[in-house]
Amino acid sequence: MSIRVIGSRCSRDEAPILVAAPHTSFLDSVIVYVTNMSSVIVRKESMDNYVGKLINYTQPIYVWRDDPNSRQNTIKAIKERANSPEDWPQIIIFPEGTCTNRSCLITFKNGAFYPGVPIQPVCIRYPNVRDTVTWTWDGPGVLKLLWLTLTQVHSACEIEFLPIYVPSQEEKENAKLYAHNVRNVMSKALGLPISDYTYDDCKILTRAKEMNLPFASSIIDIEKLRKSIGLKETNIDEKPVMLPKYELDYIEFCQKLEIPQNHSHARKLFSLFDPESSGVIDFRNYLLCTQFLMKLNQPLIDLVKSAFEIYQNDSNGVSCEIFYFIIRHTLGVPDEVIHLIYSQIAKQSSQELITFDDFAKYARGKAEFSKIFTENVDSCEKLKQV
């Protein structure tokens, strides 16, 4: 691979922190070499390999994404390094926090900007005819990408050092504003649009798609619109309840949620559940999406229970058709597996309808379903077989 460097890297005294974007590939690590082994912010779980052991020599700052205290510890370490009088290496930070496909710059995390010191933006480009380096959460793995890259006659990487960005007093006091403004500068230099999606948004979106949640592709927009309207978890009309009427028009939708009809975001929220512009939505689908967002930190079985409460025709349980829908859109299992589950539960039940308790009793007796009782909606893996 040929590496072309554009511009000049500043010294640590001029800018203790380098921010690089877009972050799209494991090959982005070449920037460590280009910057003479500067320190990086790296996930601890990424260090358990040969490349990780080499990165240890750069004196990195480790991040444990699943540790609730890791964020504050990382921010503290960045501040100490950036303001230290000692001769630490410059710190390289990929502020997006995850790999993307280079179609835009997603929201920058604030970590690099909390110290309030000058930073130098660094743009990374791969001007190749075929893209064999993009490495995202739902794309090819590292080995396949590495093999495809090695089979190319020529692969190129461009690293451009932009002018040092010196923060204003307002930016020093507001890391979010600082990050936003630096992203705008890099967006113009790269010729890329910006997106307000974050790493956490991507995790939620991916999880919703794995579960086959109704309107999963719009789940982040649903969350943002609900917040902008002022809907909260305590809103009684968003609780999982059996509905006497679930097909609502826009006026009934607003009345149900007690929100003004002239609110522009209310109209947008309604339209997300009405892709055919029929003027009517199934309010149960809306309730299931809100329950998913509210129960990200609760066991997955709680979401399944909510789905039963929302979709059941009466207190005696749900029909076969509704049972298929609930399990398909909360656990993400294929229909052939649902058929097996339904047939086994039906054998043990004396009535045609199946209740949540029937399903929970069955699931507790299956090792394959143990995770839904212990792991939360956000972390529980997709169930593929029984």
Side-chain angles (χ1 to χ4, degrees):
M1 171 181 284
S2 64
I3 303 173
R4 180 189 177 202
V5 177
I6 304 172
S8 300
R9 169 181 164 237
C10 67
S11 67
R12 183 187 184 280
D13 291 337
E14 295 173 297
I17 297 175
L18 308 173
V19 292
H23 186 23
T24 59
S25 172
F26 56 92
L27 292 177
D28 292 346
S29 58
V30 300
I31 196 173
V32 176
Y33 165 76
V34 172
T35 57
N36 297 325
M37 303 302 286
S38 295
S39 297
V40 294
I41 309 296
V42 63
R43 293 181 303 164
K44 181 61 178 177
E45 57 266 32
S46 299
M47 305 306 291
D48 298 328
N49 52 53
Y50 292 112
V51 175
K53 296 184 187 306
L54 292 174
I55 293 178
N56 278 329
Y57 288 103
T58 71
Q59 304 179 75
I61 296 174
Y62 295 114
V63 176
W64 283 264
R65 278 180 171 169
D66 297 326
D67 180 1
N69 297 318
S70 181
R71 179 175 177 273
Q72 294 302 322
N73 292 337
T74 302
I75 292 172
K76 181 180 178 181
I78 293 172
K79 287 182 176 180
E80 290 176 350
R81 292 265 191 109
N83 293 289
S84 174
E86 299 178 4
D87 190 25
W88 285 100
Q90 281 178 306
I91 305 171
I92 300 174
I93 297 178
F94 293 92
E96 292 173 293
T98 189
C99 289
T100 67
N101 61 6
R102 291 198 300 280
S103 61
C104 64
L105 291 182
I106 64 173
T107 301
F108 281 9
K109 291 180 175 292
N110 298 336
F113 308 95
Y114 280 119
V117 298
I119 62 98
Q120 183 172 29
V122 184
C123 298
I124 303 177
R125 304 181 183 89
Y126 293 93
N128 301 308
V129 175
R130 293 179 178 82
D131 182 6
T132 62
V133 300
T134 298
W135 180 37
T136 62
W137 57 87
D138 61 351
V142 174
L143 293 179
K144 182 176 181 179
L145 291 174
L146 182 60
W147 170 250
L148 291 173
T149 301
L150 292 173
T151 59
Q152 303 303 307
V153 176
H154 177 265
S155 293
C157 174
E158 290 183 355
I159 297 178
E160 180 180 4
F161 291 94
L162 299 181
I164 298 170
Y165 191 106
V166 180
S168 65
Q169 187 60 38
E170 185 180 7
E171 289 171 330
K172 289 180 180 179
E173 297 171 357
N174 187 338
K176 184 176 182 180
L177 174 65
Y178 191 3
H180 176 78
N181 291 343
V182 170
R183 183 177 65 152
N184 285 342
V185 169
M186 299 182 73
S187 170
K188 291 179 181 178
L190 289 160
L192 293 177
I194 60 176
S195 169
D196 289 332
Y197 279 177
T198 66
Y199 168 75
D200 291 333
D201 290 338
C202 293
K203 281 181 62 180
I204 294 173
L205 180 60
T206 300
R207 185 69 189 110
K209 288 184 176 180
E210 286 179 348
M211 293 169 60
N212 197 25
L213 192 76
F215 303 96
S217 60
S218 301
I219 195 65
I220 301 303
D221 294 325
I222 293 169
E223 180 183 36
K224 293 183 185 300
L225 288 170
R226 285 181 63 252
K227 288 183 178 179
S228 68
I229 295 170
L231 294 170
K232 301 181 183 295
E233 295 183 18
T234 54
N235 191 311
I236 190 170
D237 292 316
E238 292 187 330
K239 298 296 182 182
V241 293
M242 184 173 57
L243 301 170
K245 178 182 179 182
Y246 54 82
E247 291 188 345
L248 306 181
D249 60 25
Y250 178 66
I251 295 176
E252 292 170 324
F253 175 76
C254 292
Q255 291 173 342
K256 187 70 176 173
L257 296 179
E258 299 180 353
I259 56 179
Q261 297 176 25
N262 60 355
H263 199 302
S264 60
H265 288 177
R267 174 63 72 177
K268 290 179 182 178
L269 182 60
F270 181 86
S271 65
L272 290 178
F273 293 89
D274 185 24
E276 303 298 328
S277 300
S278 65
V280 177
I281 67 167
D282 188 333
F283 191 66
R284 298 175 299 180
N285 292 336
Y286 170 81
L287 288 179
L288 183 60
C289 288
T290 60
Q291 288 300 303
F292 166 82
L293 292 168
M294 293 176 187
K295 297 181 183 297
L296 288 172
N297 296 317
Q298 298 179 28
L300 184 54
I301 191 66
D302 289 351
L303 180 64
V304 178
K305 182 179 180 181
S306 294
F308 269 86
E309 294 172 346
I310 292 169
Y311 288 95
Q312 63 188 10
N313 296 323
D314 56 51
S315 58
N316 294 323
V318 301
S319 64
C320 174
E321 180 182 0
I322 297 298
F323 179 81
Y324 268 69
F325 179 91
I326 290 173
I327 303 305
R328 184 188 303 125
H329 293 293
T330 57
L331 300 182
V333 298
D335 284 353
E336 59 268 22
V337 176
I338 301 176
H339 176 74
L340 177 61
I341 297 171
Y342 179 83
S343 61
Q344 292 186 7
I345 294 177
K347 288 180 182 179
Q348 302 172 5
S349 177
S350 58
Q351 56 184 11
E352 294 184 4
L353 301 180
I354 292 181
T355 66
F356 168 75
D357 290 337
D358 292 332
F359 170 74
K361 180 180 179 181
Y362 169 85
R364 288 186 186 281
K366 298 291 183 179
E368 296 85 354
F369 284 94
S370 61
K371 287 186 176 181
I372 71 173
F373 294 95
T374 57
E375 296 190 16
N376 59 43
V377 173
D378 186 34
S379 64
C380 192
E381 295 179 358
K382 180 180 177 181
L383 296 165
K384 294 183 180 179
Q385 59 184 9
V386 173

